[in-house]
Amino acid sequence: MQTDEYPGSSIGLPEAGPGSLASWLSRIAALVLDWGVCMVVAVFLFGTGVLTGGGWRAWMVLAVFFVESAVLGALAGGSFGQLIAGIGIARLDGERLGWPRALARAAMICLVLPTVVIGAERRALNDLVLGTVVVSRRARSR
C-alpha cells in the first residue's frame, strides 16, 4: 500500500468533500437519529406498547425503521438521519440506488449482522453485496 493512498481511493472516491467516504461519526449519528425518529413515529402510530410491550408491537420500531430507510433510500439516496448528517448511499456504478437495492439494503440493516461485518473501505457486507458505499454529501469530510 502506498503512502499517498487514502480510504476510498481503491474504489475511485475522492479523498475529501462530496463523494468521499462518510466518517464513522456521521454514520453513527445518522443511525442514532434514524432510530430515535422511528421510535417517535412508532409510538405515535401504535402507542407506547412499542417501547415496553411484547408481541407484534415490539417489532414496530424496526418495521418503521425498515420502511423509512427503504423509501427514503430509494427516493432521496439516504435515510432521514443520513440526510441530516450530510451523508448518503451511492452506487459504485454511479446509477441511482433504486427500489430493489434500497429494499434489500434496508432488510440487511434490519438483520444487523450484514451491517456489522465491515470490509475494506469502511464498507459493510450489505454495501459489498449491493455495490454501494456510504459517502459524504458535504463540502467537508471527517
Side-chain angles (χ1 to χ4, degrees), residues 80-124:
F80 177 77
Q82 288 174 328
L83 297 174
I84 297 298
I87 61 177
I89 309 157
R91 284 178 49 174
L92 292 178
D93 62 8
E95 298 291 322
R96 292 182 52 82
L97 185 61
W99 286 101
R101 276 187 174 82
L103 289 165
R105 191 172 193 285
M108 285 191 255
I109 290 170
C110 289
L111 291 174
V112 178
L113 186 60
T115 306
V116 298
V117 176
I118 307 295
E121 307 292 5
R122 296 184 207 151
R123 294 175 67 207

Side-chain angles (χ1 to χ4, degrees), residues 14-136:
E15 186 172 4
S20 63
L21 279 179
S23 70
W24 286 113
L25 181 61
S26 60
R27 293 173 72 146
I28 292 168
L31 181 61
V32 169
L33 183 58
D34 275 332
W35 196 256
V37 168
C38 290
M39 287 176 69
V40 170
V41 170
V43 166
F44 177 76
L45 292 175
F46 305 105
T48 57
V50 300
L51 302 176
T52 60
W56 67 269
R57 280 194 169 95
W59 294 96
M60 289 302 98
V61 176
L62 186 63
V64 170
F65 178 82
F66 171 79
V67 170
E68 179 261 344
S69 296
V71 170
L72 287 178
L75 297 177
S79 67
F80 177 77
Q82 288 174 328
L83 297 174
I84 297 298
I87 61 177
I89 309 157
R91 284 178 49 174
L92 292 178
D93 62 8
E95 298 291 322
R96 292 182 52 82
L97 185 61
W99 286 101
R101 276 187 174 82
L103 289 165
R105 191 172 193 285
M108 285 191 255
I109 290 170
C110 289
L111 291 174
V112 178
L113 186 60
T115 306
V116 298
V117 176
I118 307 295
E121 307 292 5
R122 296 184 207 151
R123 294 175 67 207
L125 185 58
N126 55 313
D127 286 323
L128 293 169
V129 168
L130 297 171
T132 58
V133 63
V134 181
V135 295
S136 176

